[in-house]
Amino acid sequence: MTETKDENKESQILEAAKNVFQRKGMDGARMQEIADEAGINKALLHYYYRSKQMLFEAVFIKAFSLLAPQLNKVLNDDSSIEEKIRNFTENYLSFIIKHPYLPSFILNELNRNPDFLLKMKANKGFPNLDKFKKQVNLEVEQGILKPIKAEQLFINIVALNIFPFLASPLIKAFANVDDAAYQQLLVDRKTEVAIFIIDSIKIKS
Amino acid sequence: MTETKDENKESQILEAAKNVFQRKGMDGARMQEIADEAGINKALLHYYYRSKQMLFEAVFIKAFSLLAPQLNKVLNDDSSIEEKIRNFTENYLSFIIKHPYLPSFILNELNRNPDFLLKMKANKGFPNLDKFKKQVNLEVEQGILKPIKAEQLFINIVALNIFPFLASPLIKAFANVDDAAYQQLLVDRKTEVAIFIIDSIKIKS
DNA sequence: ACATTTGTTAACCAAATGGTTAAACCATAC
DNA sequence: GTATGGTTTAACCATTTGGTTAACAAATGT
């Protein structure tokens, strides 16, 4: 129905597993349901991926590898902090709007099992704040930015971008908006969020 | 170990259930584990709360009822938007630091089953943005605040306050800080977040 | 042609799990 | 004391679930 026509069974299974795991989480997912969604026999799952745990890890690592490098890319390019914020907000929101379950999936499973991160950290391409930190400190000294700790700024940027995807049912209920209106709010945020952050931290000249 | 000495079995069970459900989620939780944590027989769980589903709903509703009214209180008092932001940030962060699993638990389970919100919405005391919206619009007209939609501002406030509790393992890994340092970051946010928001939206005189 | 490896399936299995039952326990009332 | 009602437990049950097996089909190599 979506993509991955039929290349090979392996990625066809992975696609089905991704859908089920992201909907139900590791604990809620059933191997039978994944098999059904992939249109194959349950035993075949175990033929390709030995166990539920291994299938899950394959899905998780793929999802994480999709999300993390983008973050890294923006953090480590040569633009100013202001540009970084604009780029990140624009790119990341566009990306997540296409994969709305990703953030929730990844954060949940990391909470469930933080040790995962140890495996991930080994990979190079694992996001790293060093350059961003130096840059923030420098721009603060130069009087471009108001004093703020790089870590706090980083949390704020990520929070403003990702949170609406973690809490959509709740926000929809509180703000009394329907799906279409919420979708529009999200699109608006592609520019709104960057403005919001920059207005907060930039010293006007 | 914590509170609820021994009042009655019912709340003793609820306390144990809360702990297990918040750690493991509905799907990951086991009735046996809840029974063990409550120091009772598994059959007794079913004696007090007929099924896992009912026990879960009792826990969930209690958690939600703890979180929601606070939000409502701040939104609907008579202070200015600026004061509301300060109050909310200060109060909510203090509260959540004491119950760090709550946000993750509630958001997860709502994503898993958004229909829950219909039940919740029936309760009076369910948070409502009407007053907040009017107030934002008014202060924008009066030139106190820069133009911003109330919904977006609301999302931003909640995101900045809650997100660090949803993503703690991830942020710790990215920012390379240990538990103690992270705890300190959270405490700092009690004032930092309010400043960050107000700097962004307030028109300087 | 045929042997060998790879892919696929239906049937099966053992463990885990939510839930039930029937008996025991223990207060309080008579 | 013992009848009565709620409380608690050990043992049990049916179903679900992850995983295996053994047979079969389809490629692939020779």
Side-chain angles (χ1 to χ4, degrees):
Chain A
M1 193 183 299
T2 42
E3 67 280 283
T4 45
K5 41 228 132 157
D6 220 19
E7 318 167 341
N8 55 18
K9 275 278 153 62
E10 209 157 326
S11 66
Q12 183 183 337
I13 291 176
L14 216 56
E15 173 72 16
K18 185 197 78 183
N19 291 332
V20 176
F21 277 131
Q22 286 191 6
R23 278 203 308 269
K24 309 281 184 78
M26 168 66 173
D27 291 326
R30 296 289 159 250
M31 292 299 268
Q32 187 59 58
E33 191 179 350
I34 295 174
D36 291 347
E37 183 136 343
I40 57 167
N41 187 287
K42 184 162 67 91
L44 204 56
L45 288 184
H46 289 90
Y47 179 76
Y48 282 103
Y49 302 85
R50 294 261 294 261
S51 66
K52 188 186 183 184
Q53 180 65 28
M54 283 177 175
L55 177 53
F56 175 80
E57 291 193 13
V59 168
F60 184 87
I61 288 171
K62 195 181 166 196
F64 195 86
S65 309
L66 211 61
L67 211 58
Q70 288 200 35
L71 210 155
N72 213 12
K73 201 184 62 194
V74 177
L75 286 177
N76 285 333
D77 73 2
D78 285 322
S79 53
S80 67
I81 294 292
E82 180 173 347
E83 284 171 300
K84 277 184 160 64
I85 291 167
R86 283 191 215 284
N87 286 340
F88 182 82
T89 299
E90 172 76 34
N91 293 343
Y92 231 55
L93 275 177
S94 300
F95 173 73
I96 302 181
I97 285 177
K98 279 187 233 133
H99 307 270
Y101 287 97
L102 259 193
S104 175
F105 172 66
I106 288 180
L107 291 183
N108 270 338
E109 301 301 337
L110 283 184
N111 279 329
R112 220 179 43 91
N113 180 10
D115 294 339
F116 253 127
L117 279 167
L118 300 178
K119 284 185 205 165
M120 298 294 167
K121 257 184 158 171
N123 286 4
K124 80 176 167 63
F126 188 86
N128 177 290
L129 281 194
D130 293 344
K131 176 162 185 179
F132 181 77
K133 233 187 273 190
K134 281 199 200 106
Q135 219 181 339
V136 169
N137 294 340
L138 184 65
E139 294 200 12
V140 168
E141 279 174 39
Q142 292 175 330
I144 300 173
L145 301 181
K146 295 184 195 159
I148 187 168
K149 282 189 72 174
E151 289 88 350
Q152 298 286 8
L153 179 56
F154 175 71
I155 294 175
N156 294 351
I157 295 172
V158 180
L160 290 168
N161 278 296
I162 293 182
F163 184 79
F165 297 90
L166 302 175
S168 52
L170 198 69
I171 299 177
K172 279 183 215 163
F174 285 173
N176 238 319
V177 297
D178 60 23
D179 283 10
Y182 193 67
Q183 205 61 30
Q184 186 57 49
L185 279 184
L186 291 181
V187 174
D188 292 345
R189 287 180 76 79
K190 282 198 216 176
T191 51
E192 292 288 319
V193 165
I195 294 173
F196 185 86
I197 300 170
I198 293 164
D199 273 0
S200 176
I201 59 171
K202 198 178 178 191
I203 293 179
K204 281 76 186 174
S205 49
Chain B
M1 195 181 300
T2 42
E3 68 279 285
T4 46
K5 38 226 131 164
D6 219 16
E7 319 168 341
N8 55 18
K9 275 281 151 60
E10 209 157 327
S11 64
Q12 183 184 338
I13 291 176
L14 217 56
E15 174 71 16
K18 186 196 78 184
N19 290 333
V20 176
F21 278 131
Q22 287 190 4
R23 277 201 308 267
K24 308 282 185 80
M26 168 67 174
D27 291 326
R30 298 286 159 251
M31 292 298 267
Q32 186 59 59
E33 190 179 351
I34 295 173
D36 291 347
E37 183 133 346
I40 57 166
N41 188 286
K42 184 163 65 91
L44 205 57
L45 289 184
H46 290 89
Y47 177 76
Y48 282 103
Y49 301 85
R50 296 260 293 261
S51 65
K52 186 185 184 185
Q53 180 65 27
M54 284 176 174
L55 177 54
F56 174 78
E57 290 192 14
V59 168
F60 184 86
I61 288 171
K62 195 181 166 195
F64 195 87
S65 308
L66 211 62
L67 210 58
Q70 288 200 35
L71 208 156
N72 214 12
K73 200 184 61 193
V74 176
L75 286 176
N76 286 333
D77 73 2
D78 285 322
S79 53
S80 67
I81 294 291
E82 180 173 347
E83 284 171 302
K84 277 184 161 63
I85 291 168
R86 286 191 213 282
N87 286 339
F88 182 81
T89 299
E90 172 75 34
N91 291 343
Y92 231 55
L93 275 177
S94 300
F95 174 71
I96 303 181
I97 285 177
K98 277 188 237 136
H99 306 271
Y101 287 97
L102 258 192
S104 176
F105 172 66
I106 287 181
L107 292 182
N108 271 337
E109 301 300 337
L110 283 183
N111 280 329
R112 219 180 44 92
N113 180 9
D115 294 341
F116 253 127
L117 277 168
L118 300 179
K119 283 185 206 167
M120 298 294 168
K121 257 184 160 172
N123 285 4
K124 81 177 166 63
F126 187 86
N128 177 290
L129 282 194
D130 293 344
K131 177 164 184 179
F132 181 77
K133 233 188 273 189
K134 281 199 199 106
Q135 220 181 337
V136 170
N137 294 340
L138 184 65
E139 293 199 12
V140 169
E141 279 173 40
Q142 292 175 331
I144 300 173
L145 301 182
K146 296 183 193 157
I148 187 167
K149 283 189 71 174
E151 288 88 349
Q152 298 286 8
L153 178 56
F154 175 71
I155 295 176
N156 294 351
I157 295 172
V158 181
L160 290 168
N161 279 296
I162 293 182
F163 183 80
F165 297 90
L166 302 175
S168 51
L170 198 69
I171 300 176
K172 277 183 217 163
F174 286 172
N176 239 320
V177 297
D178 61 22
D179 283 11
Y182 193 68
Q183 204 61 29
Q184 186 56 49
L185 278 184
L186 292 180
V187 173
D188 292 344
R189 287 181 76 80
K190 282 198 214 177
T191 52
E192 293 287 318
V193 165
I195 294 173
F196 185 85
I197 300 171
I198 292 164
D199 273 359
S200 174
I201 60 171
K202 197 178 178 189
I203 293 179
K204 279 76 186 175
S205 47

